[in-house]
Structures are given as C-alpha cells and as structure tokens.
C-alpha cells in the first residue's frame, strides 16, 4: 500500500498554520500521504508544535498541540517509511495552507 514516491509527492509549496492563531506548524515539504485520510507530516516546525504524552485506556499516545494557543492538532505515531520514523497525523480542520 505504501510507496515512497507516492507518499513523498507533496502538493503545493508553503507552510501550514494553526487555524485558531496563525502559528506556523508544518512545512508543506514535510507533508506526505499516509493513506489514512488525515494530513500527515514527518516533522514539525521548530517552536510550532508541542508534544504531550497521553495515557488513556491503558494506551500511550502522544498528542500534538499548538505551542501558541494550545489547540489540539492531532497525534504522533511511529512510521517506518519516514526519514525519522515519525508521522504527525493532523486534523484537517486544525491547519490551513499559507503560501
Ligand atoms: Zn494555535
């Protein structure tokens, strides 16, 4: 299902910003298609995203929050196809592309 050439084919250049406060969160160049229906990135912009460990229902997950306004953005997962082994799974409604 995964294909490196497909998942690293990104669309428009620019940066993705928080819809609530405009803080810069992700570069479009770090976006990829993880076939999960959510926008996915493998790296966040320094100072844009805060990682918070969550322990719910016996499972550990990492929540993604906007550093500036604290809006919930999504979750962080492991992914063996990305350069650093990470996948930021982000809610469509939390980010907007700025050029
Ligand atoms: Zn924000």
């Amino acid at each position: 299902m995964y294909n490196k050439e497909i998942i690293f084919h990104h669309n428009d250049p620019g940066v993705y910003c928080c819809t609530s406060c405009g803080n810069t969160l992700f570069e479009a160049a770090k976006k990829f298609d993880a076939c999960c229906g959510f926008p996915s990135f493998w790296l966040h912009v320094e100072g844009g995203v805060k990682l918070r460990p969550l322990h719910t229902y016996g499972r550990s997950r990492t929540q993604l929050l906007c550093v500036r306004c604290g809006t919930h953005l999504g979750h962080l997962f492991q992914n063996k196809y990305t350069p650093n082994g990470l996948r930021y799974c982000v809610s469509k409604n939390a980010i907007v592309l700025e050029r």
Side-chain angles (χ1 to χ4, degrees):
M1 171 162 128
Y2 284 107
N3 177 311
K4 277 208 178 231
E5 284 177 29
I6 292 173
I7 68 171
F8 288 106
H9 170 80
H10 50 84
N11 326 312
D12 299 318
V15 292
Y16 286 86
C17 298
C18 177
T19 50
S20 301
C21 75
N23 192 21
T24 302
L25 303 172
F26 299 100
E27 293 174 36
K30 305 290 194 301
K31 187 173 186 285
F32 68 99
D33 183 3
C35 307
C36 70
F38 292 93
S40 294
F41 302 85
W42 57 271
L43 197 65
H44 69 270
V45 170
E46 195 66 43
V49 178
K50 185 164 74 175
L51 308 181
R52 186 168 78 179
L54 277 186
H55 303 286
T56 48
Y57 307 109
R59 279 180 47 184
S60 292
R61 292 208 291 178
T62 302
Q63 185 183 22
L64 307 172
L65 302 168
C66 173
V67 164
R68 193 189 289 172
C69 72
T71 292
H72 171 85
L73 304 172
H75 295 94
L76 185 68
F77 296 100
Q78 306 288 315
N79 187 297
K80 63 181 175 176
Y81 296 97
T82 62
N84 58 359
L86 298 175
R87 176 167 72 87
Y88 294 72
C89 184
V90 180
S91 165
K92 283 186 191 72
N93 300 325
I95 55 171
V96 61
L97 180 65
E98 306 272 340
R99 287 160 218 264

